[in-house]
């Protein structure tokens, strides 16, 4: 396990990148840095753009319980659902085994696990895959394909992903977003974006019927290669889902903090 410094970096990278993503979606979005809680909430249909995270370091059980209650209250006041991202390694040792019960008492339900990762790994070689052609996202049609891949991969309705990404100038101009195209159809996607001296990997997805062919790794390498070439950066960070976590160490990422995602109880 990495030291706590990398776990703090992972949380801070989320706050930095999601500020940009959420304000790109809605310039009037709820973006606040409260004591112990970063709010990054577009209140749109794309649940990943509705985000809270706890920012205290070494919070004990009582403080964690307080923050979880505050986070749940914020979430209840919103129109659209989203997630609390909780970085386990930021908690005091004694608070970690108690956090899920505390979340339940606050009215939060465990949704799914993730893992923060980082590495001084750039530049990576330019990517290739015998099945794929890589295309940078620069048009509305390509951005729609990117959104739809994420919706399908994460089990969202197509309109949810489109509500999060369509119309974005940021994604077509500043994000290094790539589609992996097979036989004329987009089957995988990944993106990198500059974030305080690092490249952050965001919204990697592969169509469910094309999984386990190395497509996600290939397009992630492409996004990293192009992002590093454009920025000169050498460090990269990401937040992996459970399904994607085995891919990234092959590229050079190391895991740091486990991440626990919580939603409001239904």
């Amino acid at each position: 396990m990495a030291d706590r410094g990398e776990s703090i970096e992972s949380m801070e990278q989320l706050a930095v990148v999601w500020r940009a993503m959420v304000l790109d979606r809605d310039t009037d979005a709820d973006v606040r840095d409260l004591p112990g809680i970063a709010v990054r909430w577009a209140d749109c249909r794309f649940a990943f753009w509705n985000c809270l995270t706890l920012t205290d370091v070494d919070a004990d059980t009582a403080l964690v319980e307080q923050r979880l209650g505050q986070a749940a209250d914020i979430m209840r006041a919103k129109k659209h659902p989203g997630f609390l991202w909780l970085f386990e390694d930021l908690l005091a040792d004694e608070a970690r085994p108690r956090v899920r019960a505390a979340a339940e008492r606050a009215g939060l339900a465990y949704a799914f696990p993730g893992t923060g990762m980082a590495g001084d790994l750039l530049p990576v070689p330019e990517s290739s895959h015998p099945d794929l052609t890589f295309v940078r996202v620069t048009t509305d049609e390509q951005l729609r394909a990117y959104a739809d891949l994420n919706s399908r991969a994460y089990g969202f309705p197509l309109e949810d992903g489109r509500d999060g990404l369509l119309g974005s100038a940021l994604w077509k101009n500043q994000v290094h977003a790539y589609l992996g195209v097979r036989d004329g159809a987009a089957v995988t996607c990944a993106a990198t974006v500059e974030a305080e001296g690092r490249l952050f990997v965001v919204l990697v997805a592969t169509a469910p019927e094309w999984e386990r062919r190395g497509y996600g790794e290939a397009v992630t390498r492409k996004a990293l290669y192009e992002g590093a070439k454009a920025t000169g950066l050498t460090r990269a960070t990401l937040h992996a889902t459970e399904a994607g976590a085995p891919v990234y160490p092959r590229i050079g990422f190391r895991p740091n903090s486990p991440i626990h995602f919580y939603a409001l109880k239904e």
Side-chain angles (χ1 to χ4, degrees), residues 143-153 158-159 161-162:
L143 194 55
R144 180 186 295 267
Y146 200 107
D148 288 355
L149 281 168
N150 273 269
S151 292
R152 294 186 63 211
L158 293 182
E159 287 303 320
R162 294 172 184 177

Side-chain angles (χ1 to χ4, degrees), residues 13 122 176 192-201 223-229 231 233-238 253:
Q13 284 277 284
L122 301 173
H176 305 279
T192 57
V193 62
E194 187 171 358
E196 292 193 344
R198 300 155 182 82
L199 280 180
F200 185 87
V201 179
L224 284 165
Y225 172 82
E226 296 293 347
K229 185 170 72 170
T231 65
L233 297 174
T234 60
R235 184 165 179 81
T237 60
L238 59 83
F253 287 92

Side-chain angles (χ1 to χ4, degrees), residues 112-171:
F112 55 90
T115 306
M117 296 190 181
D120 296 300
L121 52 93
L122 301 173
V124 297
E126 184 165 13
S127 181
S128 65
H129 192 289
D131 297 348
L132 301 177
T133 301
F134 299 116
V135 178
R136 184 169 184 181
V137 172
T138 59
T139 70
D140 290 332
E141 181 180 3
Q142 291 162 345
L143 194 55
R144 180 186 295 267
Y146 200 107
D148 288 355
L149 281 168
N150 273 269
S151 292
R152 294 186 63 211
Y154 295 110
F156 299 149
L158 293 182
E159 287 303 320
D160 288 12
R162 294 172 184 177
D163 190 43
L165 291 178
L166 290 191
S168 170
L170 178 75
W171 273 80

Side-chain angles (χ1 to χ4, degrees), residues 37-41 50-54 71-72 74-75 83-85:
I37 302 175
V39 183
R40 305 288 186 265
W41 203 282
N50 303 330
C51 164
L52 302 178
T53 190
L54 304 190
I74 293 169
M75 295 167 78
F83 297 108
L84 169 69
W85 302 45

